[in-house]
Amino acid sequence: MIRKKSYGHPFDTEAVVGSYTPLDGPLPFLTEEGGGRFSCPLDEDAVVYGLGENVRGINKRGWIYESVCSDDPNHREDTRSLYGAHNFLVVDGARRFGVFVDYPGKVTFDVGYTDGSVLTIQTEEPDLALYLIDGDSPEDIVRQFRTLVGRSYIPPKWAFGYGQSRWSYMNADEVREVAARYREAGIPLDAIYLDIDYMEGYKDFTVNRNAFPDLSGLAAELKEQGIRLVPIIDAGVKIEPGYPVYEEGVRQGCFCKDEDGSDFVAAVWPGRVHFPDVLNEEARRWFGGYYKVLLEQGIEGFWNDMNEPAIFYSEQGLENAFSQIDAYRTENLDIHTYGALQGLVAGLKNSPEDYRSFYHRHKDGLVRHDRVHNLYGYNMTRAAGEAMEALEPEKRILLFSRSSYIGMHRYGGIWTGDNLSWWSHILLNLQMMPSLNMCGFLYTGADLGGFGGDTTEDLLLRWMALGIFTPLMRNHSATGTRRQELYRFPHVVAFRQIVSLRYVLLPYLYSEYMKAALGNGMYFRPLAFAYPEDAFARRVEDQLMVGESVMIAPVYQQHARGRYVYLPERMKLVRFGGSHQAGQNVLETVQEELLEPGHHYIDVALDEVVFFLRPGHLVPVSQGGGCVADVDFTHLKLLGYPEDGCSYELYDDDGFRRDYDTPAHITRIYVDSSGVIHTEGTGGKDVQWL
Ligand code: MIG
C-alpha cells in the first residue's frame, strides 16, 4: 500500500504518474521531527537498499548520502553525491517499508552514519511530498514504487549491443578506423560514440565540417556495417552571435535568467554559455526540437552530458576570485593563505553560490535553481525524449543522460558518469546496478575499463566480463588516458569471446530487460531479493541476480585467478571462453558443472566468463553475431537446469517499434518431464537444447 503525505508547498517534480490524495494522520514508520526532518530506528539486522547512483554497497547503511547532482569525476568511498539524485530507499528490518522523498533540492540521508542505529532524512526546506510504501518483501515494495513512478525507458534493441567510445574520436577517419579494426578483430560492435569534438567549437547541434565533412554519409556507411554513431549533447549553449541556437534561445526567452532577468551566463566547454530553461515547457519543446538536426543526418542515439548542470565558473564567481587572488599577490603565503588561494580557483567549479544565482520559469512560477537543482538533467533528457516521441513516433531512439532524478527513467537511461580505471570501481559498478534498478533506471551501465586514469588489460578483461550483463555496455575513456579499444591489447581472442558471449546471451538478456520494464520489475537484484529467507544471502555484496535464471559473481580483484562464490541453492555453473579453445565460436566452449549450495572457490581465468543457473530455470541463447542485427533470434538454443514443469517466458520484438505490449512478442518455452522442449506463441521460435 502507498501513502502520501505533503508538507508545506511541495514543488511538482512530475516524478510520480497519476495523483494521490495526501494523508492527514500521522506518518507510519517514520517519526516526523518537523522542518523537513524524519527519522526511524534501525535494528541491528536491518538492511537499507536503494538511493540509486551512490558510492558504497548494496546495503547503504553506515554512510551519509546527499542528493545534490554533482559532477565529481574523482569520486571515492567517502563521496556523498554523484551525478544523480534518487531519493528512494527500502528499509528491511523489524520495520519494513519504502520511502520516496519527492523533493528537488538537497536531501541528506544519514543511514546510520551519525548514530549506527538511526536513519534520518533531512530536506533543505520543509516543502516536500513523502510516499510511504509497505509490502510483503523489498521486491514487492519496489514493484509498487515503480508502478507509482511509471514505466521505464526502453531503448532500441541495437542499443543492447556493445559500444566503443572515447573522448574523442577527432574525425571521420578515426571513426572508420575504430569500426574497421573491430571488424578485423572479429569483435562484435553496434555503436561508436562521438564526444564533444565532433561539434564545431563545442556548439550543440553543429558538426565540425573539417573533421566530419559528411556526417550523414558516415552514419549511413557505418550502418551498412551494423554500427550506429551516437553523438553527445551538452547542457550549455555557447554564446556566439550568428549561432542559431543561441540567437533563437535569446529571442524566444528560452534560457535561465539571473536575478535581473537577463540570461544567466555560466561557462563550460565552449567558454561562456546559457542554459536552456528545461523546467519551462516551451523551452523544453524548443530545445528538444533541435535533436531533429542530427536525426535528419541518420543519427539514432544520443547521450546528454554536463546536465547537473556542471558549471566551470560564472561571470561573477570568476570576478570575485580574480580580485581576491590579487589581494594575495603581495602576501607571504603560509599554510592557511596558500590553502585559501588554491581554494579560490578550485571553488569556482560547481559552486553552490552559482546555483543560487539563476532562475527557471516553471509553470507554477519563478523558481531559484538551487531549490530544483536535481531536476535539470531530468528535464533536459525529458526535452529530448518528448521530442523523439513527436519526431519518431514509430521508432525507438537511444537516449541516456549523465544527471537524473526519478521520473527521468521514463524518458531515457543513464550511464553512471565518470569513473576511474580502478579495481574498486568494478565492484562499485556491480553494487550500483540493483540500487538504480529499484529507482527505475534499467538502461544503465558504467564506463567499462574506467573513464579517468590508465587502464590495464587485466582490469579491462574483468570489467568486460561484468559489462556483458549490463544493458548499456559501453567502453569509454577520457582524453589523455591510455587508449582502451579492445583490439589494442594482446589478448584479442579473449575480448572477442567475452563480447561474443554478450551477443549469445542477448535473447535472454533482452527478454529479462523487457519483462522488467513492462512489469515494473528489476533486471538486477540483490541476492536477498531472490532468497529472502537466507540470512547469508542478505549479506552478499558482490554477486547479483541477472533476471530470473542467472546469478553472477564477477572477479574484481587484480591477480585473482578466481573467487569465493556463495550459492544459496544447488546451481549449475556455466563456463565460457578459455584459451585452450581459442578460435572457436564461444558457444562451443561451454562447460557445465553442478554445484551444491554453500561456499565454493571458483577458478576463473582472465579469458573466461562464468555464471550460475538456478534449478528449474532456463536461458535461451543465440549463435551470436557481429552486431545485433546479425543475431538470429528465431533459432535458439536452450541452456538450463531443468526440473519438472520448468518454463520460460521469452520476449522478442523487432527492436525498433514502440508496440511493446503486443502479446505476439511473448513465446512460452517449457520443458516436459522427459526433457522435451515445447513452445507456445505466434513468434515462430525454434528452440533446441544446446
Ligand atoms: O567534464 O565530453 O562524463 O563522459 O567524455 C568532461 C567530455 C565532459 C564528461 C563526461 C564524459 C565525457 C566528457 N564530459
Side-chain angles (χ1 to χ4, degrees):
M1 179 165 120
I2 304 182
R3 278 170 284 205
K4 173 182 181 181
K5 192 156 178 197
S6 280
Y7 300 85
H9 302 282
F11 185 89
D12 183 12
T13 65
E14 296 175 75
V16 163
V17 293
S19 64
Y20 283 72
T21 317
L23 263 181
D24 283 331
L27 209 55
F29 307 115
L30 288 172
T31 308
E32 306 169 285
E33 298 185 7
R37 191 177 180 84
F38 305 87
S39 66
C40 91
L42 294 175
D43 53 289
E44 201 179 319
D45 286 331
V47 175
V48 179
Y49 299 101
L51 295 180
E53 190 177 58
N54 260 303
V55 298
R56 301 222 170 200
I58 293 172
N59 183 351
K60 303 318 285 186
R61 252 182 112 153
W63 190 241
I64 180 167
Y65 309 87
E66 294 170 351
S67 288
V68 185
C69 295
S70 302
D71 174 12
D72 182 1
N74 295 312
H75 50 272
R76 319 180 310 179
E77 221 171 277
D78 62 350
T79 293
R80 293 182 179 193
S81 311
L82 291 176
Y83 301 87
H86 306 140
N87 303 335
F88 172 62
L89 59 78
V90 172
V91 176
D92 184 25
R95 305 177 186 210
R96 182 193 291 135
F97 67 98
V99 56
F100 172 47
V101 184
D102 193 9
Y103 175 76
K106 178 174 171 177
V107 189
T108 305
F109 295 91
D110 182 334
V111 193
Y113 165 77
T114 304
D115 175 340
S117 58
V118 180
L119 163 73
T120 58
I121 300 172
Q122 172 82 61
T123 59
E124 196 155 73
E125 289 172 299
D127 299 301
L128 67 143
L130 272 194
Y131 294 85
L132 263 294
I133 307 172
D134 57 358
D136 300 335
S137 63
E139 199 164 356
D140 172 42
I141 292 170
V142 169
R143 200 175 297 276
Q144 293 184 57
F145 172 64
R146 296 275 303 289
T147 309
L148 177 74
V149 295
R151 180 180 281 183
S152 296
Y153 165 76
I154 296 171
K157 202 194 264 181
W158 63 263
F160 290 85
Y162 172 60
Q164 178 64 58
S165 186
R166 173 77 179 177
W167 175 15
S168 300
Y169 297 121
M170 299 302 288
N171 54 51
D173 284 340
E174 267 191 46
V175 171
R176 287 193 181 98
E177 188 194 326
V178 174
R181 294 197 58 186
Y182 264 99
R183 291 292 177 244
E184 269 162 41
I187 304 174
L189 187 72
D190 266 271
I192 297 177
Y193 287 75
L194 298 180
D195 209 323
I196 45 177
D197 295 284
Y198 80 89
M199 295 183 241
E200 181 199 301
Y202 307 134
K203 286 180 295 202
D204 280 338
F205 313 113
T206 68
V207 176
N208 178 338
R209 293 292 166 196
N210 295 322
F212 293 90
D214 176 15
L215 187 67
S216 11
L218 182 67
E221 174 190 328
L222 290 170
K223 197 168 162 181
E224 285 280 293
Q225 308 172 35
I227 297 170
R228 260 100 177 163
L229 283 175
V230 184
I232 196 169
I233 304 292
D234 280 294
V237 170
K238 185 175 188 188
I239 299 177
E240 186 183 280
Y243 168 40
V245 185
Y246 159 71
E247 290 194 337
E248 258 186 55
V250 171
R251 205 173 329 117
Q252 300 186 22
C254 287
F255 293 123
C256 294
K257 304 289 179 198
D258 64 19
E259 209 163 359
D260 317 327
S262 3
D263 293 331
F264 173 70
V265 179
V268 216
W269 290 112
R272 289 172 167 80
V273 298
H274 292 319
F275 289 131
D277 187 359
V278 288
L279 269 73
N280 175 281
E281 203 182 321
E282 277 108 67
R284 206 157 53 227
R285 207 172 310 118
W286 166 77
F287 189 73
Y290 280 108
Y291 285 78
K292 190 169 176 211
V293 171
L294 289 153
L295 289 172
E296 284 174 348
Q297 298 179 66
I299 297 300
E300 297 173 52
F302 300 89
W303 47 312
N304 282 347
D305 190 21
M306 301 293 275
N307 51 8
E308 293 68 31
I311 300 182
F312 290 175
Y313 60 85
S314 68
E315 294 277 75
Q316 197 52 52
L318 194 62
E319 206 39 59
N320 297 346
F322 277 136
S323 67
Q324 289 178 57
I325 288 170
D326 230 29
Y328 282 127
R329 194 188 290 274
T330 51
E331 276 201 38
N332 173 21
L333 297 177
D334 63 10
I335 184 165
H336 304 292
T337 42
Y338 174 67
L341 174 72
Q342 280 190 315
L344 280 172
V345 178
L348 283 174
K349 195 180 165 201
N350 304 332
S351 114
E353 222 165 292
D354 288 342
Y355 291 127
R356 282 195 293 269
S357 68
F358 65 99
Y359 295 81
H360 299 277
R361 281 158 313 121
H362 183 254
K363 65 178 170 24
D364 298 332
L366 200 66
V367 51
R368 202 174 74 191
H369 175 78
D370 61 309
R371 302 202 159 112
V372 291
H373 174 71
N374 293 337
L375 301 181
Y376 194 87
Y378 165 12
N379 282 287
M380 178 191 176
T381 299
R382 179 177 173 189
E386 286 175 340
M388 306 307 169
E389 277 169 38
L391 296 165
E392 295 281 6
E394 298 295 326
K395 186 170 151 196
R396 298 180 225 169
I397 302 290
L398 170 62
L399 180 61
F400 60 90
S401 176
R402 193 169 72 174
S403 186
S404 57
Y405 182 84
I406 290 169
M408 201 211 85
H409 69 286
R410 300 192 296 268
Y411 301 98
I414 57 173
W415 92 100
T416 59
D418 298 345
N419 57 9
L420 288 143
S421 298
W422 288 352
W423 290 87
S424 60
H425 278 192
I426 302 181
L427 181 59
L428 182 60
N429 181 177
L430 178 145
Q431 289 171 324
M432 253 189 226
M433 293 293 112
S435 312
L436 283 169
N437 280 194
M438 287 173 67
C439 297
F441 295 93
L442 296 182
Y443 190 74
T444 182
D447 286 350
L448 301 174
F451 174 74
D454 291 328
T455 202
T456 57
E457 186 179 32
D458 54 348
L459 176 124
L460 192 51
L461 281 163
R462 292 306 196 191
W463 210 328
M464 293 297 294
L466 164 61
I468 62 169
F469 295 100
T470 61
L472 167 61
M473 180 192 182
R474 182 181 77 144
N475 171 333
H476 180 47
S477 56
T479 180
T481 62
R482 180 178 183 182
R483 295 259 163 186
Q484 59 191 43
E485 292 80 16
L486 303 180
Y487 50 77
R488 294 181 188 275
F489 295 91
H491 294 89
V492 172
V493 174
F495 284 116
R496 179 194 305 148
Q497 295 210 331
I498 293 173
V499 180
S500 298
L501 183 56
R502 159 70 160 215
Y503 288 73
V504 163
L505 294 174
L506 270 180
Y508 174 74
L509 300 178
Y510 187 65
S511 284
E512 292 304 314
Y513 184 93
M514 293 304 292
K515 288 185 287 179
L518 300 179
N520 296 321
M522 292 166 69
Y523 169 96
F524 281 120
R525 288 177 301 162
L527 264 51
F529 283 35
Y531 304 96
E533 307 302 324
D534 183 327
F536 196 90
R538 247 168 101 75
R539 299 287 157 193
V540 173
E541 287 276 347
D542 60 357
Q543 304 175 197
L544 291 177
M545 307 306 298
V546 182
E548 62 173 56
S549 309
V550 168
M551 181 182 81
I552 58 169
V555 175
Y556 53 89
Q557 277 172 337
Q558 191 165 25
H559 312 307
R561 300 214 171 158
R563 54 163 286 175
Y564 284 97
V565 178
Y566 177 66
L567 268 51
E569 61 184 328
R570 236 178 150 220
M571 284 184 168
K572 185 189 263 185
L573 180 155
V574 186
R575 183 184 299 274
F576 284 99
S579 46
H580 57 293
Q581 284 152 323
Q584 271 180 290
N585 177 334
V586 69
L587 200 51
E588 290 159 21
T589 67
V590 65
Q591 298 172 46
E592 302 181 323
E593 184 187 346
L594 281 183
L595 295 174
E596 293 304 316
H599 299 271
H600 296 264
Y601 188 86
I602 307 291
D603 294 319
V604 190
L606 272 176
D607 55 2
E608 291 179 328
V609 177
V610 306
F611 57 84
F612 304 85
L613 283 181
R614 302 182 69 180
H617 285 80
L618 303 169
V619 173
V621 301
S622 78
Q623 299 283 341
C627 60
V628 171
D630 272 3
V631 175
D632 177 356
F633 280 83
T634 301
H635 302 92
L636 302 176
K637 299 286 180 197
L638 204 56
L639 264 173
Y641 184 167
E643 283 192 339
D644 260 3
C646 84
S647 68
Y648 184 79
E649 212 175 77
L650 176 78
Y651 180 99
D652 190 31
D653 59 13
D654 71 359
F656 293 102
R657 276 182 294 168
R658 299 179 190 254
D659 60 339
Y660 311 118
D661 300 294
T662 307
H665 295 159
I666 305 280
T667 303
R668 205 170 78 87
I669 303 171
Y670 67 98
V671 176
D672 68 22
S673 48
S674 37
V676 179
I677 300 171
H678 305 264
T679 59
E680 263 170 30
T682 55
K685 301 292 181 199
D686 165 44
V687 188
Q688 309 289 335
W689 287 113
L690 178 64

